Amino acid sequence: MKLTILHTNDMHGRIQQLERIATLVRTIRAEVNQNGGLCLYVDAGDAEDTILLESSLTKGSAMNAMLRGAGCDYAALGNAIPARYGIQPIKDMGASFGRPLLCANLFDENGETIPGLEPFTIFEFQNQKLGIIGLTDPSESYRTFFHLKTEEAADVLPKLISDLRGRGAQTIILLSHLSSKADIELAEKVQGVDVIVGAHDHKAITPPLVVNGTIIVQAGDFGKFLGRLDLTTDSATGKVVAHEGTLLPIDESIPPDPQAQQAVANERIRIDQLMGREIGILNQAIDLADDRECSAIRSTANPAWIKLTGSQIKQFLREASKPENAARQLHGLRGRSVGMPHVAGAKIRRNGTSPEDVEIEVQGRVIKDEESFLVASTDMEFADYVGYLVIPFETVEFEVPTIMPEVMEDYIRAHTPISIPSH
């Protein structure tokens, strides 16, 4: 049996890349089908992202509809949306995709399967059965913030493999939103997975890795590549007897696929209806800049508050106000710049030319290092990937599943008309 697996991961809202990927998917699928083989297109999670307007306003579901419109057959649950909102959007994400997303290690607080998810599926072709499993990163944040239950991949996977084998599945494919390191460790520990399609750490793996008999692939990020893995399997046992994998670059020479474009257009009609709601009036235009404090807040982080000392506040602002730090483009921000912080309720002064010599004034007086202050912020400011002031998340009070654009929307609605302060 000839089986071709086309795969993507961590697209994070790159619609134009998805439209071009769809063109290759349909071309390759037609070629494989004509030669009597099977072609499946799978995604290993995080097609959605709140940096994309369409995805943000629909809490991910628009991107799932676009993914299905691009010809995707099965998709795993990533962490871009549930890490912000918990389980609430997952049902809509699955409905927009047209079938449940695959995830076998995330459950509600009662240990039940979350609506919009299923642990695995079985695909039948030419008297062969393919078992396809989904796993997502068992982040501590799910337990801390949303009181969900998670299982480690190595604990849950053997039971799933046994279940699928009992149902007649001969070839096992895992859609893993765990990271390439975790995938390698999993292949070393657990027997029985033929192919792992990876994600989460945005690695471009070429050629495929083979670990303990398991083939591991991953296609980078942001739709830069479409992965292609061609398998030859034994018709009696389903065992993979030969494989060849490559990453196909996606660039402007590939025309967008009309069906994918139509799926995007349909979702944008929905977005236009959402954007047509008037929430308030701004008396002036607001600006957005990375190299200075500005009027707009672009963060999609969750609001948070914590008590900090004057020394901790100084440490954060010393680092955050350095232009070279603000200009950093980080993986955790999908390659966007960190930008300058937005500060309210305090004034920052530098004494002399050294950026280390900073004074913070609150209510007309300079704060002392040992004083304590209640600070409102977001999880981004305390995250290790920014690194200005790393605070363990379990010590921070978060307002979830709210994100900052929703806070701004509520504020504008309550205080309209809004004028931008002149100082």
Side-chain angles (χ1 to χ4, degrees):
M1 174 178 166
K2 299 292 185 180
L3 169 62
T4 297
I5 300 173
L6 304 178
H7 58 95
T8 51
N9 58 275
D10 298 291
M11 281 191 290
H12 290 289
R14 271 51 177 199
I15 292 176
Q16 291 182 331
Q17 292 298 96
L18 180 60
E19 291 174 341
R20 296 186 178 104
I21 285 169
T23 296
L24 285 188
V25 168
R26 298 195 199 283
T27 300
I28 295 170
R29 195 192 299 272
E31 163 210 318
V32 171
N33 291 346
Q34 186 175 6
N35 291 324
L38 170 66
C39 180
L40 290 179
Y41 170 27
V42 298
D43 182 85
D46 276 3
E48 320 84 14
D49 200 295
T50 50
I51 67 167
L52 176 71
L53 176 66
E54 291 86 348
S55 187
S56 181
L57 287 178
T58 62
K59 297 184 178 180
S61 66
M63 197 67 194
N64 291 109
M66 296 175 194
L67 188 64
R68 192 59 186 271
C72 186
D73 297 297
Y74 298 100
L77 178 71
N79 68 314
I81 294 299
R84 285 277 173 259
Y85 297 105
I87 65 173
Q88 293 89 340
I90 293 176
K91 183 177 181 180
D92 288 340
M93 290 165 64
S96 292
F97 186 64
R99 58 166 45 116
L101 304 181
L102 298 175
C103 181
N105 63 330
L106 181 66
F107 309 92
D108 68 17
E109 59 185 348
N110 298 315
E112 301 294 329
T113 299
I114 296 166
L117 298 181
E118 62 183 359
F120 58 76
T121 191
I122 294 178
F123 185 92
E124 297 189 44
F125 177 75
Q126 292 182 353
N127 298 319
Q128 297 283 304
K129 290 185 177 181
L130 307 177
I132 307 174
I133 301 169
L135 292 174
T136 197
D137 176 40
S139 170
E140 178 65 30
S141 65
Y142 293 134
R143 298 183 289 276
T144 302
F145 305 143
F146 301 109
H147 310 294
L148 304 178
K149 297 183 184 297
T150 62
E151 286 194 51
E152 293 298 323
D155 295 333
V156 71
L157 192 55
K159 294 179 289 184
L160 294 167
I161 295 170
S162 177
D163 193 352
L164 282 167
R165 297 291 188 198
R167 296 169 187 245
Q170 298 148 302
T171 306
I172 305 293
I173 300 168
L174 170 62
L175 306 186
S176 162
H177 202 84
L178 297 172
S179 81
S180 56
K181 179 181 178 182
D183 292 340
I184 291 170
E185 293 174 353
L186 196 59
E188 291 172 339
K189 291 180 181 178
V190 179
Q191 294 274 0
V193 177
D194 296 287
V195 176
I196 297 178
V197 178
H200 193 41
D201 58 348
H202 298 207
K203 297 293 185 182
I205 299 177
T206 183
L209 300 175
V210 180
V211 178
N212 199 20
T214 298
I215 302 163
I216 301 175
V217 295
Q218 192 180 155
D221 58 11
F222 306 155
K224 296 171 188 170
F225 301 100
L226 171 66
R228 176 172 180 168
L229 179 64
D230 292 297
L231 304 174
T232 301
T233 65
D234 184 280
S235 59
T237 66
K239 180 179 175 58
V240 176
V241 295
H243 76 275
E244 182 178 358
T246 188
L247 298 181
L248 306 172
I250 305 300
D251 56 34
E252 294 182 359
S253 67
I254 301 172
D257 174 72
Q259 291 184 51
Q261 285 183 309
Q262 185 59 56
V264 171
N266 292 341
E267 290 306 302
R268 284 180 170 157
I269 292 172
R270 180 158 65 119
I271 298 308
D272 287 343
Q273 293 171 345
L274 293 172
M275 291 293 289
R277 297 177 296 121
E278 182 179 295
I279 62 172
I281 297 171
L282 296 176
N283 287 332
Q284 300 119 304
I286 57 176
D287 63 341
L288 175 63
D290 291 331
D291 59 351
R292 56 186 167 81
E293 188 177 14
C294 60
S295 301
I297 296 178
R298 66 180 182 181
S299 172
T300 55
N302 296 112
W305 65 267
I306 190 173
K307 282 190 175 181
L308 298 177
T309 64
S311 177
Q312 288 176 307
I313 295 171
K314 284 183 183 180
Q315 175 188 330
F316 174 83
L317 291 174
R318 273 197 301 263
E319 297 302 314
S321 60
K322 294 178 181 178
E324 64 270 24
N325 281 339
R328 289 181 299 155
Q329 295 180 327
L330 302 181
H331 167 83
L333 298 179
R334 319 299 182 225
R336 295 180 64 173
S337 300
V338 177
M340 286 287 182
H342 300 256
V343 181
K347 293 181 180 180
I348 309 168
R349 286 195 298 269
R350 286 182 178 172
N351 295 326
T353 58
S354 171
E356 302 299 320
D357 196 2
V358 173
E359 282 187 348
I360 312 296
E361 183 181 300
V362 176
Q363 295 180 343
R365 65 177 185 84
V366 176
I367 67 173
K368 298 177 181 179
D369 287 353
E370 65 274 13
E371 290 185 274
S372 180
F373 297 88
L374 187 62
V375 176
S377 189
T378 75
D379 59 299
M380 173 181 160
E381 280 69 34
F382 304 133
D384 55 3
Y385 62 83
V386 175
Y388 297 157
L389 180 68
V390 180
I391 301 290
F393 279 179
E394 60 267 22
T395 67
V396 182
E397 292 290 336
F398 287 97
E399 182 182 339
V400 291
T402 307
I403 64 171
M404 287 304 297
E406 295 170 335
V407 174
M408 295 300 297
E409 181 178 333
D410 290 345
Y411 182 88
I412 292 170
R413 184 180 285 112
H415 295 86
T416 190
I418 301 291
S419 296
I420 308 301
S422 59
H423 59 280

